[in-house]
Amino acid sequence: MSGAIRRGGEKQDMNSHSTAAGPRGQLDAALEIAKNYLAAMEERDLERAATFVSPDASFVFPGGKRPQGLAAIVAGSATRYQFVGKIIDRYDAAAAADGGVTVYVLGTLHGRWLDGRTFEGIRFVDRFEIRDGKIRSQEVWNDAGEVRCQLGVK
């Protein structure tokens, strides 16, 4: 079913023309929200990042950690990394049954552990639920914990 989405049981061609309010425009808008949010977070521009996030958004990170807000996400990251960045391999978006969009971001992490050693190539997946132009939830999976254990990084 490459090149198509399902919404409400109706198959729609992703390559067909639609308006910004239509399915293709809604998916494109959600992808831009996810891209811009991730860029702002990597730059630690929390004010800009907040413009993409619903006030009641939820976040779930590896280990089941549930930071309360963007500053808590950055603070949690600071306990593991001197720096962390993402190399994006791909974005996937699909219309959700409730009228929102689910966006998946896949790629690898690179950066520097607290002990100064650099790393790269650590897999990650971010899953976003985007509704009414705002991120309602972000779930994060990555292999950083596994790699840290293998390397003996504290």
Side-chain angles (χ1 to χ4, degrees):
M1 194 167 76
S2 180
I5 61 170
R6 283 199 183 273
R7 184 169 188 211
E10 178 184 342
K11 184 177 177 181
Q12 298 177 345
D13 184 353
M14 289 290 293
N15 297 317
S16 67
H17 174 75
S18 64
T19 66
R24 179 68 185 252
Q26 184 183 19
L27 296 177
D28 289 344
L31 288 169
E32 286 304 308
I33 290 166
K35 289 176 186 180
N36 289 322
Y37 164 80
L38 288 173
M41 288 298 288
E42 188 166 327
E43 295 164 7
R44 299 301 189 239
D45 185 347
L46 301 187
E47 186 174 325
R48 183 169 157 249
T51 66
F52 303 107
V53 178
S54 171
D56 62 346
S58 65
F59 305 94
V60 180
F61 279 73
K65 293 179 179 147
R66 294 179 173 273
Q68 299 298 309
L70 303 182
I73 292 170
V74 172
S77 179
T79 67
R80 293 182 301 279
Y81 316 108
Q82 290 180 17
F83 165 80
V84 63
K86 295 181 175 185
I87 298 173
I88 308 298
D89 292 332
R90 76 176 204 252
Y91 298 87
D92 296 328
D98 67 0
V101 176
T102 302
V103 174
Y104 289 89
V105 182
L106 293 84
T108 57
L109 301 174
H110 64 95
R112 188 176 311 111
W113 303 114
L114 290 178
D115 68 6
R117 287 187 276 177
T118 60
F119 63 87
E120 62 182 14
I122 297 176
R123 298 179 311 162
F124 80 87
V125 175
D126 286 349
R127 179 185 182 274
F128 294 96
E129 291 181 9
I130 299 173
R131 309 245 176 331
D132 302 320
K134 298 286 185 181
I135 295 168
R136 305 295 293 225
S137 73
Q138 178 186 13
E139 295 177 86
V140 178
W141 295 270
N142 65 56
D143 293 335
E146 181 78 14
V147 172
R148 285 172 51 141
C149 286
Q150 290 173 354
L151 296 175
V153 174
K154 302 261 179 190

